[in-house]
Amino acid sequence: FKEHLVSPTVKDSELVYRNSIRPDAFFSEDIITSQQIDLRWVYSIPGKITALGILGTFLGLSYGVFIAAKGIQESKTNPSALNDSISHLLDGAALAFISSAVAVLVSLAFSYFEKRSINQVEMKIGKLCDSLDKSLMFTTNVQIQKEQLRVQTEQLKTLDSFSNDIAIALGNMLE
């Protein structure tokens, strides 16, 4: 950013700082956070949490079915084992669906706080850029080139006048 600041000029007895590139080209969420945080990974966290919940669902259902299958085998010799196996199946299913529900809730909560935090950062960056825009006078490269051309033209005229004055003075001295 500093490299694109143009030397300050005096305008109405005040120093005016100019820039040739807008501040938002240097100060943005991507530029600032990418140096510290892998945002793609952060954005993927809610999906990973949901995937863990789904994994918990499959594990819970698998556990319930596995235990229930054993109970059904035993129910041939022990009728009360059937009730126990159905109870285990329902417990496994309940655990499975609770893990999914918790994962979805945690994922939603994380998404909310993540978006809220990123919005706050974006707002602060926006305020910084607005403040810099108000403090600096934006000058395009074409305007800088025109100003340089104007100054060079003035210098050339002054140098030309100076060389003429010297030539006249030398001529008068030689006479």
Side-chain angles (χ1 to χ4, degrees):
F1 180 72
K2 186 177 178 182
E3 294 171 352
H4 295 281
L5 291 175
V6 181
S7 298
T9 56
V10 178
K11 186 176 185 180
D12 299 330
S13 72
E14 282 188 34
L15 274 179
V16 176
Y17 290 89
R18 299 177 297 160
N19 61 322
S20 61
I21 297 182
R22 299 249 184 232
D24 58 5
F26 300 96
F27 304 108
S28 70
E29 173 202 349
D30 291 336
I31 292 170
I32 292 173
T33 57
S34 66
Q35 297 171 2
Q36 304 295 324
I37 302 169
D38 181 2
L39 284 178
R40 290 188 322 192
W41 185 82
V42 171
Y43 292 149
S44 72
I45 289 175
K48 290 176 181 176
I49 292 171
T50 303
L52 286 174
I54 292 170
L55 178 64
T57 300
F58 286 123
L59 291 175
L61 289 175
S62 298
Y63 172 77
V65 168
F66 177 74
I67 297 298
K70 279 181 153 182
I72 291 172
Q73 291 291 331
E74 291 177 16
S75 69
K76 294 177 184 174
T77 58
N78 181 4
S80 69
L82 183 59
N83 287 341
D84 289 342
S85 66
I86 291 174
S87 177
H88 286 299
L89 177 62
L90 292 176
D91 288 345
L95 176 66
F97 290 116
I98 287 172
S99 72
S100 285
V102 167
V104 168
L105 290 174
V106 169
S107 174
L108 289 172
F110 181 87
S111 292
Y112 170 77
F113 288 111
E114 170 223 352
K115 302 245 183 305
R116 186 172 161 222
S117 299
I118 288 175
N119 284 340
Q120 288 174 348
V121 168
E122 286 175 347
M123 285 176 53
K124 288 179 182 179
I125 292 171
K127 286 180 182 179
L128 171 67
C129 289
D130 289 345
S131 176
L132 287 171
D133 271 336
K134 289 176 185 173
S135 302
L136 300 168
M137 185 172 91
F138 179 71
T139 305
T140 65
N141 288 332
V142 172
Q143 290 170 322
I144 293 170
Q145 290 170 349
K146 284 181 180 179
E147 185 177 336
Q148 287 173 338
L149 182 61
R150 181 189 59 76
V151 169
Q152 285 175 346
T153 304
E154 285 177 14
Q155 289 174 345
L156 185 61
K157 286 179 186 176
T158 303
L159 186 60
D160 194 31
S161 173
F162 178 68
S163 65
N164 285 340
D165 290 346
I166 289 178
I168 291 171
L170 282 175
N172 288 340
M173 290 171 86
L174 292 175
E175 289 181 0

